Amino acid sequence: YNIINLDKLTYAGNLANLKDIEDKPNYKFVKMDICDFDAFYKLMQEEHVDGIIHLAAESHVDRSIKDPFTFAKTNVMGTLSLLQAAKLYWESLPEKYEGKRFYHISTDEVYGSLGAEGYFHETTPLDPRSPYSVSKTSADLFVQAYSETYKMPVSITRCSNNYGPYHFPEKLIPLIIKNILEGKSLPVYGDGTNVRDWLYVEDHCKAIDLVIHKGRAGEVYNVGGHNEKQNI
């Protein structure tokens, strides 16, 4: 594969995390905003892109409460920008959608809140509760619409909370570790009884690799760690 890594490099992006692969002959980094439809469409044509793994998103719930516009723009309009560019480019080719795939990485937060027991299933009704989860649900539905309306081969995975190396320290696990090291108080949302499933980032990567190679077009897959814990 030739891999093009597209990133706007907002506050949470860090090219130092990619030092070990930046000189690989089949790897290229492009600084770009996914909302820039014209630039992305041009890139699709120039690089003959036949697969998209769409991980770009605003993802911090607290930020979405303070600034819902940015979440709607990036997560909804950004996703639509990628979908439309892919549609126009792939439909212009002789083989059209054959051998192509648009893979959208979503979140289990589209299902809303989980009770004390049980699991979300792919058939669980969508019930988002925050500007973040609403924006991701909207993106999911646009991806599904492109599958239904244009017959684009798509995949959607909805994962639980990721954790692991290079995690930006606004998120719970790195924030708590950082505050402990610095002797600061430990902030917990509400009374800390919210249940979250935690998924190690490399396990998520293995799931992405599996879905991109063996996933059925049009299918939604939940990706979890079977690791439910209360925040407290």
Side-chain angles (χ1 to χ4, degrees):
Y1 299 108
N2 288 312
I3 295 173
I4 302 155
N5 178 17
L6 193 85
D7 201 305
K8 189 181 177 183
L9 289 180
T10 56
Y11 71 94
N14 185 358
L15 285 178
N17 295 345
L18 299 162
K19 282 287 182 192
D20 58 336
I21 62 166
E22 65 182 11
D23 296 324
K24 299 277 187 187
N26 64 332
Y27 171 81
K28 177 193 284 191
F29 175 80
V30 177
K31 185 177 180 183
M32 187 182 292
D33 185 342
I34 60 169
C35 294
D36 189 341
F37 169 81
D38 292 333
F40 184 70
Y41 183 42
K42 183 180 178 187
L43 183 76
M44 291 277 299
Q45 296 168 302
E46 290 174 348
E47 299 288 349
H48 310 295
V49 174
D50 55 12
I52 295 167
I53 303 177
H54 172 33
L55 301 110
E58 296 282 350
S59 67
H60 194 51
V61 174
D62 290 351
R63 284 179 184 268
S64 80
I65 293 167
K66 292 175 183 157
D67 180 18
F69 282 101
T70 296
F71 280 70
K73 183 181 178 189
T74 301
N75 296 354
V76 183
M77 296 306 295
T79 300
L80 186 55
S81 169
L82 300 183
L83 283 165
Q84 184 66 5
K87 173 190 179 292
L88 292 178
Y89 174 59
W90 291 338
E91 286 187 346
S92 74
L93 302 174
E95 71 275 19
K96 303 208 181 293
Y97 288 125
E98 187 179 341
K100 310 296 188 292
R101 182 64 60 94
F102 188 103
Y103 178 1
H104 175 60
I105 310 289
S106 187
T107 169
D108 63 356
E109 294 205 31
V110 301
Y111 298 122
S113 296
L114 188 64
E117 295 180 358
Y119 297 104
F120 293 128
H121 297 275
E122 288 85 354
T123 54
T124 300
L126 303 180
D127 187 23
R129 305 292 182 90
S130 69
Y132 162 61
S133 55
V134 167
S135 69
K136 289 295 288 186
T137 304
S138 302
D140 279 24
L141 295 175
F142 266 113
V143 174
Q144 290 179 323
Y146 270 68
S147 172
E148 289 290 326
T149 306
Y150 307 114
K151 308 309 176 193
M152 181 184 286
V154 307
S155 296
I156 296 173
T157 51
R158 296 173 178 148
C159 68
S160 51
N161 291 39
N162 282 219
Y163 72 98
Y166 311 120
H167 207 174
F168 193 73
E170 70 183 357
K171 303 289 187 170
L172 180 66
I173 290 178
L175 177 64
I176 294 294
I177 293 170
K178 182 171 178 286
N179 282 19
I180 289 171
L181 291 171
E182 296 174 357
K184 295 180 179 176
S185 62
L186 309 182
V188 177
Y189 181 76
D191 61 5
T193 58
N194 298 58
V195 176
R196 293 283 176 269
D197 177 50
W198 293 96
L199 174 66
Y200 185 59
V201 64
E202 287 188 9
D203 292 332
H204 190 193
C205 291
K206 289 173 186 173
I208 292 170
D209 183 59
L210 190 65
V211 170
I212 201 73
H213 287 102
K214 296 187 176 179
R216 287 205 302 261
E219 201 71 49
V220 175
Y221 298 97
N222 286 352
V223 182
H226 282 250
N227 202 21
E228 287 82 9
K229 300 194 184 303
Q230 290 185 337
N231 286 348
I232 199 71

